Amino acid sequence: MFSGAPFTSADEDFLRLIGQWLEQDAAREQTARQLRRSEELNKAVIRSALDGIITCDEQGVITEFNPAAEHMFGHARSLALGRTLDQLFRPAAVPADPSPLPLTGPHSVLGQRLERQAQRRDGTPFLVELSVVHLPTERPEYAAFLRDITERRAAEHRLQQRTAQLDSVFNVSPDGFVIFDGAGHVIEVNPAFLALTGTRLHDLLHQTEATFEQVLRSRCVAARPGGLTGPDVIQVAQPIRRVLKRTRRAMGGSGLGSVMYFRDITHEAEISSMKSEFMSTAAHELRTPMTSIYGFTELLLTRTLDAETTRDLLDTIYRQAGQLLNLLTELLDLARIEARTGQDFIIQPEPVRPLIENTARAFTPPAEQGRVRLAVTPNLPLLPVDAAKFNQALGNVLSNAFKYAPSGPITVRAALTPDHTALQVTVQDHGIGMTPEQTHRAFERFYRADNSGNVPGTGLGLSLVQEIMWGHHGEATLESAAGHGTTVTLTFPTTPLPPHRSSRMPKKILIVDDHADLRKLIRLTLTGPDYDLQEAATGDDALTRTRQWRPDLLILDVMMPGHLNGFQVCESLKRDPELRGTSVMLVTARAQTSDLQEGGAVGADAYLIKPFSPMELLERVGNLLQRP
């Protein structure tokens, strides 16, 4: 039929039909290839997905289980296929439907984002976030997308706890906090700041830092002379006069904002002012006898004097040296009592009459024994006191009576108060007496009613007496009239005092300095029942002794020869988990701001600048070791 005969219409129809069959076959092949490619792509997506993907039929029987689901549940795909979806989850508390993942019905989970407890193969529960969707297939089929959120929920819980803790600290802290956002606006103010400054919350929130500073300055006053000063120290007058120290810290990275921290240092400021005044007065009182000693000694060394003049100058030097010794002794006694707040008192029941008789005998000049008259009530109960401190307090009062009453009787009385809660020991003289102003200032340190120099003394006697009385939970009072004499009353409670630290184990202190003389000075200053002392001359020796002996405090010189200086020793201690609780006081002559900052950076608890007084050392050590 193809021998050259022309095409008929039948031939054309046949060829057209064959072309259609070929086109349809090619289309089917292309569709099959696209389908296979789509299936492979879908399987690759499912296999590589980070979230678990599980497909199931309408009965919940699993038909696909991707590697992420295998890792999540601990089931291999081959073992998971054919199981039900419900077997992977713990039953939910839905009484109407025992299935934890109902695909149909009123409790259907389709189209929801849920959190459910799931079970690993070993039975371990874990929390997942999931959503279930209906797949567009001929037969009903569903896909569950799951994500393990156990760590996320644990992190959120930790964050909530941390936030609650910080909120508690923020709200109950006695220190003030003001928080600024990255733009410099106030976003948080804690109650303590409002109480310290007398400001109101709505006056501060959302204000710029400049406005905040204006509000703060409106409540400030000029610094008191001799008190703590500096750019970070402010003194507010409202609602009451306070001294606050301000520090500022950035929050995390740049742009997050900052926190201002305000600490009430009113007490420290008052102590600083009192210390400045005290040291100034003490220096004056020390300089007076030293001037005489130095001057007369120079005369003796540079001039040839007759025997009578030489003897007179030596007598003066001896007398002034004795006065200087008495002054230093009373200063040290006063410092020890203050620093230890009576905790080195040895309180024992003592008979009253022998205490008074022995003190009167010891402090009465031999030529004036007849002037002292004792009037002690008979049958007094035993008195809980430190006998040595009682002797010192009553002795100081008797010494004053002899100095300011050159003649006439001096009467010492002892009797119980009407309610029998206290014993009162009074010393009455008939000497020169004092004016009301002098009486008011009698217990001030270095105050002397007679400034003529005719009556020897340091001006510390009554201050020391009052400190001793406070150590006994008692009090010293004074009544006087100019020209008529003075009466001093020592009131001791008759009830036993609470036990003092002297009955406890002494605190261990390691003194570390390469200078033997300075170690000796510190040791002699701290010697007493409160402290157990050891010494080290190098940083390496200090670390060795600290690990072996475990002291409560290191008094640590900064500049020491050898492998380790004081900063390095302190840093080593604070980095050691077993030793970081050891308190460290750095002692140095370097008082630059950078040095103080370096000491703070390595974790030092206190900084003592050379030269320092024994009283200052006692006070600082006492404060450090009284911390809880």
Side-chain angles (χ1 to χ4, degrees):
M1 75 176 176
F2 298 102
S3 59
F7 277 108
T8 64
S9 58
D11 293 332
E12 292 177 358
D13 291 340
F14 177 75
L15 291 174
R16 191 179 295 111
L17 180 60
I18 291 176
Q20 290 175 352
W21 285 347
L22 292 174
E23 287 178 359
Q24 290 175 1
D25 186 61
R28 282 195 298 271
E29 181 64 27
Q30 184 179 1
T31 301
R33 285 197 303 268
Q34 290 176 345
L35 182 60
R36 286 194 300 271
R37 184 174 180 277
S38 177
E39 289 178 349
E40 291 173 358
L41 181 62
N42 289 338
K43 288 180 179 179
V45 170
I46 292 174
R47 285 195 300 269
S48 61
L50 297 178
D51 292 338
I53 300 176
I54 305 174
T55 62
C56 64
D57 60 20
E58 62 181 340
Q59 281 76 41
V61 177
I62 297 173
T63 58
E64 185 56 67
F65 202 77
N66 78 333
E70 290 181 305
H71 177 74
M72 193 180 300
F73 286 91
H75 292 288
R77 178 177 179 277
S78 59
L79 296 176
L81 296 179
R83 301 184 67 184
T84 63
L85 199 60
D86 294 347
Q87 291 175 308
L88 301 178
F89 293 87
R90 293 190 161 196
V94 182
D97 191 341
S99 171
L101 291 174
L103 301 176
T104 59
H107 300 292
S108 172
V109 297
L110 293 181
Q112 302 181 48
R113 185 179 294 274
L114 306 170
E115 290 184 8
R116 285 286 189 273
Q117 283 278 6
Q119 246 181 347
R120 306 190 198 278
R121 184 179 181 182
D122 61 4
T124 305
F126 68 104
L127 192 64
V128 298
E129 182 181 78
L130 80 153
S131 58
V132 182
V133 297
H134 182 271
L135 296 178
T137 55
E138 292 181 5
R139 288 186 297 179
E141 195 164 2
Y142 304 89
F145 300 87
L146 306 98
R147 178 172 296 174
D148 188 344
I149 59 172
T150 306
E151 287 301 322
R152 189 176 80 189
R153 284 289 176 264
E156 289 174 353
H157 180 66
R158 291 193 298 268
L159 180 60
Q160 289 173 353
Q161 286 186 319
R162 181 64 173 166
T163 301
Q165 292 170 352
L166 292 176
D167 286 344
S168 297
V169 171
F170 187 79
N171 289 317
V172 306
S173 171
D175 300 322
F177 292 95
V178 180
I179 301 178
F180 296 85
D181 62 16
H185 293 86
V186 178
I187 57 174
E188 291 283 352
V189 181
N190 77 330
F193 178 82
L194 302 178
L196 289 172
T197 59
T199 51
R200 295 176 297 182
L201 183 62
H202 67 270
D203 291 336
L204 300 176
L205 280 182
H206 312 302
Q207 299 296 334
T208 64
E209 187 173 344
T211 303
F212 170 80
E213 291 293 338
Q214 289 177 358
V215 174
L216 191 59
R217 281 197 299 270
S218 69
R219 284 159 171 75
C220 292
V221 293
R224 291 178 174 176
L228 293 176
T229 58
D232 297 326
V233 176
I234 58 177
Q235 300 199 28
V236 297
Q238 301 173 9
I240 62 173
R241 196 179 188 103
R242 285 190 177 96
V243 182
L244 306 178
K245 182 175 178 60
R246 170 167 59 177
T247 56
R248 184 173 190 151
R249 294 288 184 271
M251 294 191 298
S254 60
L256 293 180
S258 60
V259 179
M260 278 190 187
Y261 166 72
F262 296 81
R263 185 168 64 90
D264 188 349
I265 58 168
T266 305
H267 178 69
E268 291 95 323
E270 290 175 351
I271 293 296
S272 176
S273 179
M274 291 172 59
K275 185 184 296 183
S276 297
E277 181 180 351
F278 172 76
M279 294 306 296
S280 175
T281 308
H284 176 269
E285 296 297 327
L286 289 168
R287 189 179 293 114
T288 300
M290 284 299 298
T291 300
S292 298
I293 293 171
Y294 183 80
F296 290 140
T297 303
E298 183 177 349
L299 287 176
L300 290 171
L301 291 173
T302 58
R303 297 185 183 182
T304 302
L305 304 172
D306 59 72
E308 183 179 352
T309 303
T310 299
R311 177 68 183 184
D312 181 56
L313 294 184
L314 289 173
D315 286 342
T316 303
I317 291 171
Y318 180 78
R319 186 173 64 255
Q320 292 292 340
Q323 184 177 347
L324 185 61
L325 180 61
N326 289 336
L327 176 60
L328 292 174
T329 300
E330 291 190 342
L331 274 173
L332 283 173
D333 287 342
L334 193 61
R336 284 195 179 95
I337 292 172
E338 280 188 333
R340 297 171 184 175
T341 60
Q343 294 180 356
D344 61 347
F345 284 27
I346 303 174
I347 305 297
Q348 294 180 345
E350 300 283 355
V352 176
R353 176 174 283 277
L355 278 178
I356 295 176
E357 289 177 345
N358 292 337
T359 303
R361 189 180 306 111
F363 284 86
T364 300
E368 302 192 58
Q369 292 288 340
R371 293 181 56 195
V372 178
R373 301 175 182 176
L374 301 182
V376 180
T377 301
N379 302 320
L380 288 174
L382 297 177
L383 185 65
V385 292
D386 183 311
K389 298 292 192 297
F390 180 98
N391 177 280
Q392 189 174 11
L394 181 58
N396 278 1
V397 176
L398 281 171
S399 296
N400 279 348
F402 281 109
K403 286 189 289 188
Y404 293 103
S407 61
I410 296 174
T411 305
V412 180
R413 297 184 177 87
L416 293 173
T417 56
D419 58 3
H420 287 203
T421 60
L423 175 77
Q424 291 186 325
V425 179
T426 61
V427 178
Q428 182 180 20
D429 66 58
H430 300 277
I432 61 175
M434 289 186 283
T435 65
E437 180 183 358
Q438 292 171 332
T439 301
H440 179 72
R441 301 186 59 189
F443 291 100
E444 291 182 14
R445 295 175 188 176
F446 297 109
Y447 179 75
R448 301 189 64 204
D450 177 21
N451 290 319
S452 64
N454 296 326
V455 180
T458 63
L460 290 172
L462 286 181
S463 297
L464 185 57
V465 169
Q466 189 67 279
E467 291 291 343
I468 292 174
M469 295 308 299
W470 286 340
H472 284 89
H473 295 186
E475 185 183 20
T477 56
L478 183 146
E479 296 177 358
S480 187
H484 296 281
T486 300
T487 300
V488 177
T489 302
L490 308 180
T491 302
F492 295 88
T494 55
T495 55
L497 301 180
H500 292 303
R501 197 174 67 191
S502 57
S503 61
R504 307 174 189 170
M505 292 295 292
K507 296 289 187 178
K508 298 179 180 179
I509 300 178
L510 180 60
I511 305 166
V512 187
D513 200 296
D514 57 310
H515 292 286
D517 289 341
L518 190 55
R519 295 200 306 271
K520 181 179 180 181
L521 171 64
I522 295 173
R523 176 166 45 80
L524 290 176
T525 302
L526 298 177
T527 295
D530 282 345
Y531 304 132
D532 185 5
L533 307 173
Q534 285 194 15
E535 299 179 25
T538 66
D540 297 288
D541 190 19
L543 283 178
T544 301
R545 287 177 180 268
T546 300
R547 292 189 178 99
Q548 294 174 348
W549 191 46
R550 299 302 175 92
D552 300 290
L553 170 66
L554 262 72
I555 300 178
L556 181 61
D557 186 37
V558 170
M559 301 298 294
M560 289 186 294
H563 179 58
L564 297 173
N565 62 28
F567 289 139
Q568 293 166 324
V569 172
C570 182
E571 186 175 18
S572 297
L573 290 178
K574 296 302 181 179
R575 286 184 175 180
D576 190 323
E578 295 184 358
L579 302 177
R580 65 178 51 164
T582 306
S583 297
V584 177
M585 178 190 289
L586 293 178
V587 182
T588 183
R590 295 167 54 180
Q592 299 296 323
T593 302
S594 59
D595 300 319
L596 301 180
Q597 290 174 342
E598 186 174 356
V602 298
D605 299 278
Y607 218 111
L608 188 63
I609 306 297
K610 300 176 186 177
F612 56 84
S613 68
M615 183 187 67
E616 184 179 10
L617 175 64
L618 278 168
E619 179 183 354
R620 300 292 294 277
V621 170
N623 290 339
L624 269 180
L625 294 180
Q626 286 173 12
R627 292 178 179 175

